[in-house]
Amino acid sequence: MPGSRLTVLTPARLRARLSAMGRWPARALLFALGAGMVAALAPTHQVYLLILGFSALVWRAADAPGPRAAFIDGWWFGAGFFTAGLYWIAFALLVYPDRFGWLVPIAITALAVGFGLFGAVAALAVRLSPGGLAPRAAVLAGTWTLLEWLRGWVFTGFSWNPVGSAWAFHDAPLQGAAWFGVYGLSLLTVLAAAAPAALAEPGRGARVLAGGALAALALVAAGGAARLSGADAAVVDGVRLRLVQPAIPQAQKWVRDLRESHMLDQIDLGLAPPGAGDPAPTHVIWAETAAPFFIGDDSTWLRRVGAGTPAGGVTILGAPRLVTPPDAPGAPYEIANALLAIDPNGAVLDHFDKFHLVPFGEYVPLADWLPLDKITPGTVPFTPGPGPRALDLPGLPPVSPLICYEIIFPHAVVDAERRAQWILNLTNDGWYGKTAGPHQHFTAARLRAVEEGLPVARAAFTGISGMIDPYGRVTAQLGLGEKGFVDADLPRPAPNPGLYARLGNAVPVGLAVLVALGGLLGGFRGGARNRDRNRA
């Protein structure tokens, strides 16, 4: 139209519009932007959405009338991010809707309230920081990363969806986890995503921050590409693993009348002939609680599983394990979520008990005060095992078993005293259906492979099962919801594990502290310069 002008939405104008918004419209927008950032993670990896979210958080927190307002705004942002990122947890409650369906709104609200606090603390740190937007963006990056690390262990920990996992769509930037872990990737990612917020102010500080963050990401990607170009693709001689994925719906898994057919299906999948020209499997691996009963005390089923085990190898499967000896009258009744290794004769050669239990899934925190049952079948809570350890099994290098979400905890997946040569993750993501949850879980397994320089074999009851080499590359995979098996060679460990495998979280935590302190010092210096100019 004549006389009309196209309004260019520059960073300064976007900041002004956000600052001018009413309290509740702004908080609704922050919730939506936090939720939208989840699309930057698996399985969609729309990484650019992180820029919109973190830039808006910097602007709104910096312009908040006080710390309290910034804290509340940050809470809405965090609530959006974690509600959208963890929505799939509600699907577990709908497996048995008559028992737990009523908990869905309560669980979602509790997740938003609790995890939203991490966003609130990050926004508060931005608001309390001195200076302009560039140093505040650095404070946000350092604080967010430290909060991710804290979330990994406080209240038993839940290291789900660190921002650094957004780069899992490409193998090259993922190699940064070998040097400073996924938390280090988060630090760089948040810094690069928040830096554009500083472009709303004049001065070269914003350009220096944005350029430096992008250059660091480019350097990590280039270094990762170089690391992959020299990656050794060697495999362990004489080992061929078969990962069995029966894809039985979770609601049917524990039905007693279906137990025999489910077990026979998995035995048949283990015995199925390999593809044309492929070698036969030497070891068969079933998923978490693939045997939904105390198979270790059932000689008939042990013999049947042993009969389907390759000669000289083992069948490794998940099952509940009776911790209390049957001949120990008066002893407390204890069970474990376990992994059992069964030889061709039906003997249990070794076992591993899950040590990091899922709250409300495998035990109820504060059970004396909360009138709730755990979600998994049975009323007795599981007893945790002693922790990571390496198992020695026939025909295999030493292996570090992990059950279910034990794989999500950085630098807590192998025994530091006796380092294994590969990681085995048995899991049951059938609780979560065809949602983003299983994809996010598989991404966590890839990150642990890169961080530790160890291959990861993953057997999931309904998917995603697969083999991951020590560089996080997927060498074989069976998709979510597919019934069948995947045969794969076992890769050798990386000949030179990265810095993170040796030093652990001290590397990313130290970097995060330096970046946050750098932002604070930069803010103080900038404020001092401005005061000097005003006096002049």
Side-chain angles (χ1 to χ4, degrees), residues 305-318:
V305 172
T309 299
V314 291
T315 292
I316 301 172
L317 55 78

Side-chain angles (χ1 to χ4, degrees), residues 59-322:
W59 289 333
R60 188 69 186 181
D63 296 337
R68 181 177 181 274
F71 185 88
I72 296 173
D73 286 349
W75 180 88
W76 282 96
F77 181 85
F81 179 72
F82 288 106
T83 300
L86 302 174
Y87 76 94
W88 43 267
I89 290 178
F91 281 66
L93 300 173
L94 296 174
V95 172
Y96 305 110
D98 54 329
R99 295 178 58 199
F100 302 110
W102 62 277
L103 280 171
V104 169
I106 298 175
I108 292 176
T109 302
L111 286 172
V113 169
F115 286 109
L117 292 174
F118 291 97
V121 173
L124 180 63
V126 173
R127 177 61 180 81
L128 295 177
S129 301
L133 293 178
R136 289 177 191 249
V139 169
L140 174 65
T143 303
W144 188 278
T145 303
L146 290 172
L147 289 170
E148 282 193 348
W149 166 71
L150 182 68
R151 184 160 52 88
W153 56 268
V154 69
F155 300 124
T156 78
F158 192 59
S159 303
W160 202 274
N161 280 349
V163 169
S165 65
W167 300 105
F169 68 90
H170 197 285
D171 295 329
L174 206 63
Q175 302 310 302
W179 304 311
F180 37 72
V182 69
Y183 296 140
L185 281 178
S186 290
L187 178 66
L188 278 179
T189 304
V190 179
L191 191 62
L199 297 174
E201 289 181 339
R204 60 189 298 268
R207 296 191 296 274
V208 170
L209 179 66
L214 290 174
L217 281 174
L219 185 62
V220 167
R227 185 172 191 257
L228 291 173
S229 67
D232 188 355
V235 297
V236 178
D237 293 336
V239 174
R240 183 77 169 173
L241 303 182
R242 170 162 293 184
L243 309 174
V244 172
Q245 182 171 300
I248 297 167
Q250 182 62 34
Q252 298 178 16
K253 180 176 182 178
W254 293 85
V255 176
R256 182 178 294 272
D257 292 343
L258 299 177
R259 177 187 298 174
E260 182 171 8
S261 64
H262 291 168
M263 290 291 293
L264 293 176
D265 277 350
Q266 293 176 97
I267 291 173
D268 289 343
L269 288 171
L271 288 170
D278 291 336
T282 59
H283 301 78
V284 178
I285 301 173
W286 297 11
E288 178 189 10
T289 56
F293 59 98
F294 297 120
I295 189 173
D297 299 303
D298 191 321
S299 59
T300 300
W301 274 112
L302 285 175
R303 286 194 298 269
R304 295 172 89 170
V305 172
T309 299
V314 291
T315 292
I316 301 172
L317 55 78
R321 189 181 74 85
L322 188 61

Side-chain angles (χ1 to χ4, degrees), residues 23 46 48 53 81 87 114 172 236 258 340 346 379 459 473 477 527:
R23 180 172 56 186
Q46 304 300 306
Y48 60 90
F81 179 72
Y87 76 94
V236 178
L258 299 177
L340 306 178
T379 58
R473 298 175 296 193
Q477 180 177 313

Side-chain angles (χ1 to χ4, degrees), residues 392-488:
D392 293 301
L393 300 174
L396 292 170
V399 57
S400 178
L402 299 169
I403 297 176
C404 189
Y405 88 146
E406 289 179 328
I407 194 74
I408 73 170
F409 297 97
H411 206 60
V413 295
V414 295
D415 184 354
E417 300 297 324
R418 183 170 180 265
R419 187 171 170 82
Q421 295 184 36
W422 62 294
I423 296 170
L424 174 59
N425 182 211
L426 307 188
T427 189
N428 175 26
D429 292 351
W431 291 97
Y432 311 114
K434 294 184 178 180
T435 65
H439 296 276
Q440 295 166 0
H441 203 180
F442 190 76
T443 295
R446 292 182 60 204
L447 282 160
R448 299 298 86 75
V450 180
E451 289 171 346
E452 298 296 338
L454 297 175
V456 175
R458 187 173 194 264
F461 199 70
T462 57
I464 305 166
S465 299
M467 179 63 70
I468 305 166
D469 79 0
Y471 304 94
R473 298 175 296 193
V474 180
T475 62
Q477 180 177 313
L478 193 60
L480 182 61
E482 297 180 30
K483 179 178 180 177
F485 60 85
V486 57
D487 291 346

